[in-house]
Amino acid sequence: MHSLLDIPEDLAPVHGALADALQRVGERFDNHLASDLLAVNDLVRHIERYRGKMLRPALVVLSGMACSQTPDDPEACITGDLLVLGAVCEMVHMATLVHDDVLDEAAVRRRGQTVNFLHGNETAVILGDLLIAAAYHLCSTLDDPYPSRAIGEVSMTLCAGELLQLANRDNLSLDMETYREILDRKTAALIGVACRLGARSAGAPEARHNAMDTFGRRLGLAFQIQDDLLDLTGDEGVVGKSVRKDLEKGKLTYPIIDHLAKAEPQRRAATLRLLKRAADGDETAPAELVSVLRNDGAIERARLAAESLVNEARALLVPLAESGPKRYLSRMADAVVQRAF
Amino acid sequence: MHSLLDIPEDLAPVHGALADALQRVGERFDNHLASDLLAVNDLVRHIERYRGKMLRPALVVLSGMACSQTPDDPEACITGDLLVLGAVCEMVHMATLVHDDVLDEAAVRRRGQTVNFLHGNETAVILGDLLIAAAYHLCSTLDDPYPSRAIGEVSMTLCAGELLQLANRDNLSLDMETYREILDRKTAALIGVACRLGARSAGAPEARHNAMDTFGRRLGLAFQIQDDLLDLTGDEGVVGKSVRKDLEKGKLTYPIIDHLAKAEPQRRAATLRLLKRAADGDETAPAELVSVLRNDGAIERARLAAESLVNEARALLVPLAESGPKRYLSRMADAVVQRAF
């Protein structure tokens, strides 16, 4: 995420401290997964390709800095515990990515593509399990038992969100409330906990942990709405991963739900037919659908919803003392909805 | 496991206390997985069919009783912590069963069977994740941080064992040392930790935790060798699950590895051809193979190896004060190799 930002000169020190911290988070991550078995180490290397924006560790570190007594002194703020918490959050997130791959590979296979499905499947399931186990084990090495409880609880929430999403696959009557519930559990909860644990580790008062948790949740919701928008309207070359997957998988997202809720019966029926065609693999349907959603203003309304969540998030930072990390967090929040990838 | 035993009259009180404790372990298990989401609760109910012998919770409870100061007073021995630890070990075990199902369903699909593979796959992956998360979360609620560390570490060991096994699928030169390594990580380590945590929770001295861990590991190895033997030679109706799956999946087990290591070159080549036929789905190959292994004495040698591990395990109980739970543990150890299911 940090790499998406144009960094003004006054934030260069924070940027440098963050980059250094993320580098060390990555080392903790790798060290904790290193195994005495060659077979395991070979497989663990597969995981490296999943490491991307490091959004969650960045939020742990920046929340810790912004909530500390000495926000502009990275030496004092960036403790070993903060790095461990960053690695733990990234491991949990990466486990979900690895297991999502299993679900997605299944869909790809449904279209008859020739993936080595069996081997990929098995490896992905156990690698994901190894990441979850490593996350918990690393977290349990901290003196404070609180992070273990928080990470255990949020992982259950995350799974519940995934199950709720699975239960609503191909549900063309999915309402906005359930969609928000899925996003809140599946994406926002872990991002909230990342911010909470950062604030807590910095010794901030409890009210501040809760405020940072809410900051993270709002940001997480906005992030996921933007992610869903990019899947729908993005360019594969720019987004950097295959797009239009949600339509293939029968997953309704913000603009579609909003459009269906507001459309006249005839328009609604026509859109439902378009969705069915897209789910059945009709290659012209997605572009038609996006055009319908644009004309209806539903794409724009989704963008505004994400923007409004980011504004809510940023408002929660106001009570924090002015500092570089605080301004950096605020810019990161903006970047979530401004990004094209 | 306890239900496999002929219970002599003097052990009836231990049996009753254990049955009661396992009932309460089951309740903790269910309560911790209960969700506010209907979709999740519906899916969690799928898991109930996986609950079987409750070997691991039984070992937690019996180890706790046998290592306590008052082994024959269940009221004093069977604490809330012991029940939580039992539920945690069962959750971890059940997560591996659920994810093993994903791997096994893949194999079944490879033979073209008409399982609703896609839906089963996705549900199984996320349900397994939910079980792992629930295990860690429940464990982290204990005041003592030690169990969280032990369960986190053993889960990593378990995954490493699974990956080592996957890496050796279809490896017809698998040696006995690697086979033992796989079993030790994949099965024995968790059973060892179950016994260790039981002893620790009872306030036993540290040397006793280690001895009970080794007891559990030996028992676990014996258990898995017997499991593999039943897969090879058992009757589907008696074993209660499909047999000859290891051959289909290209998994070599004790008697085959032992036979191949000792066979003359011509006999070895013939057996390798039989294994290939079995892996390719030839339905007459398994019976031929079993007959070869019987005539060679390899089946009997595997049985003796399991028996010898059980003897090693039982020897570790000797220093414990005489008590009903100690005698019960000893009988359970015997049952592991005497069972036909």
Side-chain angles (χ1 to χ4, degrees):
Chain A
M1 177 57 45
H2 61 290
S3 61
L4 303 183
L5 300 179
D6 282 330
I7 305 300
E9 209 172 323
D10 68 310
L11 289 183
V14 182
H15 189 69
L18 177 62
D20 178 59
L22 292 181
Q23 167 77 24
R24 286 157 71 201
V25 165
E27 285 161 16
R28 300 258 167 157
F29 189 109
D30 295 342
N31 288 343
H32 202 70
L33 279 165
S35 165
D36 58 325
L37 296 175
L38 192 66
V40 175
N41 277 333
D42 282 351
L43 289 166
V44 162
R45 252 173 253 136
H46 282 252
I47 292 171
E48 281 174 20
R49 72 184 165 94
Y50 290 97
R51 201 180 294 163
K53 299 188 270 278
M54 300 260 272
L55 173 64
R56 290 148 196 84
L59 286 171
V60 171
V61 170
L62 287 166
S63 297
M65 292 174 82
C67 294
S68 92
Q69 295 289 325
T70 53
D72 284 311
D73 177 2
E75 291 288 321
C77 295
I78 300 174
T79 61
D81 278 14
L82 215 51
L83 301 178
V84 164
L85 291 169
V88 166
C89 289
E90 187 67 4
M91 281 175 182
V92 172
H93 170 59
M94 219 174 270
T96 69
L97 290 189
V98 174
H99 281 179
D100 274 353
D101 263 13
V102 180
L103 312 195
D104 290 353
E105 279 182 13
V108 170
R109 186 185 172 77
R110 203 163 46 160
R111 303 254 170 282
Q113 296 186 13
T114 57
V115 182
N116 187 335
F117 184 51
L118 185 66
H119 180 78
N121 229 6
E122 293 172 319
T123 302
V125 171
I126 310 293
L127 270 185
D129 291 352
L130 181 65
L131 279 164
I132 304 174
Y136 287 115
H137 183 244
L138 183 56
C139 198
S140 73
T141 61
L142 296 171
D143 289 333
D144 183 5
Y146 180 90
S148 286
R149 286 171 200 162
I151 290 291
E153 189 175 10
V154 81
S155 302
M156 289 185 74
T157 302
L158 220 150
C159 293
E162 292 267 10
L163 289 174
L164 188 60
Q165 182 165 61
L166 276 176
N168 282 289
R169 181 168 284 189
D170 297 320
N171 172 13
L172 298 181
S173 336
L174 181 66
D175 57 72
M176 194 60 89
E177 194 187 330
T178 309
Y179 171 73
R180 290 268 306 230
E181 188 70 46
I182 291 169
L183 262 45
D184 196 47
R185 296 190 190 228
K186 204 188 69 137
T187 306
L190 179 60
I191 294 180
V193 161
C195 297
R196 165 186 292 275
L197 292 177
R200 191 173 192 279
S201 181
E206 202 173 323
R208 177 88 347 242
H209 314 166
N210 296 335
M212 289 306 291
D213 194 316
T214 309
F215 166 80
R217 279 179 179 259
R218 295 285 182 279
L219 201 64
L221 279 178
F223 183 85
Q224 191 63 52
I225 290 172
Q226 178 70 7
D227 228 44
D228 292 350
L229 269 176
L230 288 175
D231 180 83
L232 197 60
T233 66
D235 182 320
E236 191 149 325
V238 180
V239 177
K241 59 183 177 186
S242 38
V243 292
R244 255 70 75 193
K245 294 207 86 158
D246 291 340
L247 290 178
E248 269 181 34
K249 287 189 280 176
K251 269 171 64 184
L252 295 202
T253 56
Y254 195 111
I256 301 171
I257 296 164
D258 190 39
H259 163 77
L260 288 174
K262 289 169 181 155
E264 303 291 323
Q266 254 187 322
R267 176 64 265 169
R268 193 179 139 82
T271 300
L272 289 174
R273 282 194 298 275
L274 263 177
L275 283 168
K276 287 224 172 80
R277 276 173 48 206
D280 290 343
D282 179 331
E283 290 182 5
T284 62
E288 280 183 56
L289 186 66
V290 169
S291 159
V292 166
L293 296 173
R294 270 199 211 287
N295 292 338
D296 175 54
I299 301 276
E300 180 60 12
R301 290 199 298 278
R303 212 188 50 71
L304 288 173
E307 218 171 83
S308 150
L309 284 161
V310 164
N311 289 338
E312 283 180 45
R314 267 193 326 206
L316 289 154
L317 298 179
V318 171
L320 287 174
E322 279 313 309
S323 73
K326 174 182 170 174
R327 290 199 302 284
Y328 202 100
L329 270 179
S330 186
R331 278 185 166 259
M332 267 183 77
D334 285 332
V336 157
V337 283
Q338 281 156 10
R339 72 200 165 102
F341 56 97
Chain B
M1 178 55 49
H2 62 291
S3 62
L4 304 182
L5 299 178
D6 281 332
I7 305 299
E9 210 170 323
D10 68 309
L11 289 183
V14 182
H15 189 69
L18 176 62
D20 178 57
L22 291 181
Q23 167 77 26
R24 286 156 70 199
V25 165
E27 285 160 16
R28 300 258 167 159
F29 189 108
D30 294 342
N31 288 343
H32 202 69
L33 280 164
S35 165
D36 57 325
L37 297 176
L38 192 67
V40 175
N41 277 333
D42 282 352
L43 289 166
V44 162
R45 251 173 253 136
H46 282 253
I47 291 170
E48 282 175 20
R49 72 186 164 94
Y50 289 96
R51 201 180 294 163
K53 298 189 269 280
M54 299 262 271
L55 172 64
R56 290 147 197 85
L59 286 171
V60 171
V61 170
L62 287 166
S63 297
M65 293 175 83
C67 294
S68 91
Q69 295 290 326
T70 54
D72 284 311
D73 178 1
E75 292 288 320
C77 295
I78 300 174
T79 60
D81 278 13
L82 215 50
L83 301 179
V84 164
L85 291 169
V88 166
C89 288
E90 187 67 3
M91 280 174 182
V92 173
H93 170 58
M94 219 174 269
T96 69
L97 290 188
V98 173
H99 281 178
D100 275 354
D101 262 14
V102 181
L103 312 195
D104 289 354
E105 279 182 13
V108 169
R109 187 184 170 78
R110 203 162 47 159
R111 303 254 167 286
Q113 295 186 16
T114 57
V115 183
N116 187 335
F117 184 51
L118 186 64
H119 180 79
N121 229 7
E122 293 173 320
T123 303
V125 171
I126 310 293
L127 269 184
D129 292 350
L130 181 65
L131 279 163
I132 303 173
Y136 287 113
H137 183 243
L138 183 57
C139 199
S140 73
T141 62
L142 296 171
D143 289 332
D144 184 5
Y146 180 90
S148 285
R149 286 169 201 166
I151 290 291
E153 188 175 11
V154 81
S155 302
M156 288 185 74
T157 302
L158 220 150
C159 293
E162 292 267 9
L163 289 174
L164 188 58
Q165 184 165 61
L166 276 176
N168 282 288
R169 181 169 284 189
D170 297 321
N171 172 12
L172 297 180
S173 334
L174 181 67
D175 58 72
M176 194 60 88
E177 195 187 330
T178 309
Y179 171 73
R180 290 268 308 230
E181 189 70 48
I182 291 169
L183 262 47
D184 197 46
R185 297 191 190 228
K186 203 187 70 137
T187 307
L190 179 59
I191 294 180
V193 162
C195 297
R196 166 187 292 273
L197 291 177
R200 191 172 192 280
S201 180
E206 201 173 324
R208 177 83 356 236
H209 314 167
N210 296 335
M212 289 306 291
D213 195 317
T214 309
F215 166 80
R217 279 181 179 258
R218 296 284 182 280
L219 201 64
L221 279 178
F223 183 85
Q224 191 62 53
I225 290 172
Q226 178 69 7
D227 229 43
D228 292 350
L229 270 176
L230 288 176
D231 181 82
L232 198 60
T233 66
D235 182 319
E236 192 149 324
V238 180
V239 177
K241 58 182 177 185
S242 39
V243 292
R244 253 71 74 196
K245 294 206 86 160
D246 291 340
L247 290 178
E248 269 182 33
K249 285 189 281 175
K251 269 171 64 184
L252 296 201
T253 56
Y254 195 110
I256 300 171
I257 296 164
D258 190 40
H259 163 78
L260 288 174
K262 288 168 182 157
E264 303 292 325
Q266 253 187 322
R267 175 65 267 168
R268 195 180 137 81
T271 300
L272 289 175
R273 281 193 299 275
L274 263 177
L275 283 169
K276 286 227 171 78
R277 277 172 50 206
D280 290 342
D282 178 331
E283 290 183 4
T284 62
E288 280 182 57
L289 185 67
V290 170
S291 160
V292 166
L293 296 173
R294 269 198 213 288
N295 292 339
D296 175 55
I299 300 276
E300 180 61 11
R301 290 198 300 276
R303 212 187 50 71
L304 288 172
E307 217 170 84
S308 150
L309 285 161
V310 165
N311 289 337
E312 284 179 46
R314 267 192 326 203
L316 289 155
L317 299 179
V318 171
L320 287 174
E322 278 314 309
S323 73
K326 173 181 170 174
R327 290 199 302 284
Y328 202 102
L329 270 179
S330 185
R331 275 181 168 260
M332 269 184 75
D334 286 333
V336 157
V337 282
Q338 282 157 10
R339 71 200 166 104
F341 57 96

